[in-house]
Amino acid sequence: MTIPEFDIINTYFNKSMDANSNVILGIGDDAAIVSVPDDQELILSIDTLISGVHFPADTAPADIAHKALAVNLSDLAAMGATPKWVTLALTLPDAKEKWLREFSDGFFALANRYNVKLIGGDLTRGPLSMSIQAQGFIPKGLALRRDGAQPGDLIYVTNTLGDAGFALQHYQQKALPQTMLDKFYRPEPRIHIGEKLRGIANAAIDISDGLAADLGHILKRSNVGATINVATLPLSEAILASLERDEAIQLALTAGDDYELCFTVPENKTDELTQVMQNEFYTCVGTITSTKKLDLHFDNGKKYVLKTAGYQHF
Ligand SMILES: [Mg+2]
């Protein structure tokens, strides 16, 4: 690297933030030291993003940083956790100051919004990629897991689905609506919603690979099935202006990168859900069943057939 690693870290990554009482020692030693309060559990998640695989190679550095952090925070949101710290392993082909500054700006803009502290990491030379490990707290026993769904639970999703997938397919067209580009380049981790669902949702997951695939993970882990009315899937005006409803439904079910939450709530807690979610946009799309199958249908009961599965990693 043209700039010494120590200088890069100090200039672009050692950003002091509001006092975070649980960090005993942050960047600067061989490892960080943190403490976990007695009544909390530690939630950990790691995700790697590779240039050309998880984001187009020409993505702006600030957008890359936002997305890399957002997808990790989204995993914590899906557990109902409050994020506290992250570590970052960044591999760069070269150390360009402009790139580093923009990456750092994008990273800390999101990190500061959720009061998340970067407490350590690693810099290496190589093809552009990054791994972020996010860590957060949840009161003991309250984590939203994939294995808690029960027959009769109602299935909900946050916001709209399919926009990020549409943006990925068409990102080279400059005319895409900004809302769609934002959904793809700057997904919003639904941290506050995850926190609200503690003690209410039986199961939750964030939608990274399409609703069908990700709900499928809940069904498998919970040993249950689901019936989804595809006519109720929340679709944005932008996607409906660009696609026939059937194609938009297909994207909502199979396109990745939305990072919305899918969660299940028992019927006797739906009033509580309505109360805590007063200012949120979320939609009931179906019900958990004991069939162990995912049944997709229209309003009139006619079966909906998926044309493709969700994003396949291998
Ligand atoms: Mg996830």
Side-chain angles (χ1 to χ4, degrees):
M1 300 240 172
T2 44
I3 322 165
E5 181 179 347
F6 179 82
D7 291 346
I8 294 176
I9 291 167
N10 259 336
T11 310
Y12 300 108
F13 295 107
N14 199 358
K15 305 255 174 177
S16 55
M17 291 204 340
D18 295 348
N20 184 326
S21 58
N22 298 98
V23 178
I24 297 165
L25 186 62
I27 289 176
D29 212 305
D30 294 306
I33 309 175
V34 296
S35 69
V36 182
D38 284 346
D39 59 342
Q40 306 283 315
E41 283 167 343
L42 189 60
I43 305 276
L44 302 96
S45 171
I46 189 165
D47 246 318
T48 298
L49 275 79
I50 298 171
S51 177
V53 178
H54 301 98
F55 54 87
D58 60 355
T59 305
D63 288 341
I64 296 173
H66 177 102
K67 186 156 186 168
L69 181 54
V71 303
N72 278 280
L73 297 183
S74 177
D75 276 329
L76 294 196
M79 301 300 290
T82 303
K84 301 296 282 183
W85 327 289
V86 292
T87 52
L88 164 69
L90 180 59
T91 303
L92 287 172
D94 43 28
K96 293 205 179 86
E97 300 226 30
K98 183 172 180 289
W99 193 96
L100 284 163
R101 188 172 56 247
E102 290 174 17
F103 183 89
S104 167
D105 287 350
F107 188 91
F108 286 102
L110 180 61
N112 291 344
R113 209 138 48 78
Y114 290 102
N115 210 13
V116 171
K117 196 168 172 104
L118 179 66
I119 58 168
D122 185 36
L123 273 175
T124 347
R125 188 198 285 266
L128 179 62
S129 76
M130 64 224 64
S131 296
I132 294 180
Q133 186 183 53
Q135 310 188 5
F137 289 158
I138 188 141
K140 277 185 176 166
L142 286 188
L144 308 173
R145 301 161 47 140
R146 295 179 179 182
D147 61 4
Q150 297 287 332
D153 282 5
L154 296 168
I155 303 165
Y156 298 86
V157 296
T158 56
N159 295 281
T160 58
L161 301 180
D163 303 271
F166 186 83
L168 175 63
Q169 286 178 356
H170 300 91
Y171 71 92
Q172 274 145 332
Q173 299 168 7
K174 296 289 177 238
L176 276 184
Q178 192 58 41
T179 52
M180 276 185 166
L181 292 170
D182 284 348
K183 283 285 307 225
F184 178 63
Y185 286 111
R186 297 206 158 228
E188 190 61 36
R190 304 295 176 195
I191 298 290
H192 300 310
I193 294 182
E195 289 171 335
K196 288 175 184 179
L197 296 176
R198 292 174 186 168
I200 295 177
N202 273 344
I205 193 167
D206 64 325
I207 304 173
S208 53
D209 299 333
L211 176 63
D214 287 312
L215 175 60
H217 294 312
I218 289 185
L219 303 186
K220 202 162 186 194
R221 292 297 302 267
S222 300
N223 207 18
V224 291
T227 171
I228 299 284
N229 178 353
V230 297
T232 60
L233 292 175
L235 304 169
S236 71
E237 280 174 33
I239 208 169
L240 289 173
S242 309
L243 291 178
E244 295 295 322
R245 183 172 283 273
D246 259 25
E247 294 170 300
I249 288 172
Q250 176 74 21
L251 269 183
L253 287 167
T254 58
D257 286 310
D258 278 317
Y259 296 100
E260 297 299 341
L261 296 184
C262 169
F263 55 95
T264 83
V265 175
E267 213 156 6
N268 63 7
K269 289 198 175 160
T270 52
D271 285 350
E272 222 180 308
L273 178 74
T274 310
Q275 242 173 32
V276 299
M277 295 281 277
Q278 266 178 36
N279 301 314
E280 308 294 350
F281 176 18
Y282 68 109
T283 310
C284 182
V285 297
T287 314
I288 296 290
T289 63
S290 50
T291 61
K292 299 186 184 148
K293 279 189 297 210
L294 175 59
D295 155 65
L296 305 168
H297 60 86
F298 291 97
D299 270 335
N300 59 10
K302 195 177 146 235
K303 238 179 154 33
Y304 180 89
V305 182
L306 268 188
K307 291 184 201 88
T308 55
Y311 177 76
Q312 300 290 321
H313 293 266
F314 292 98

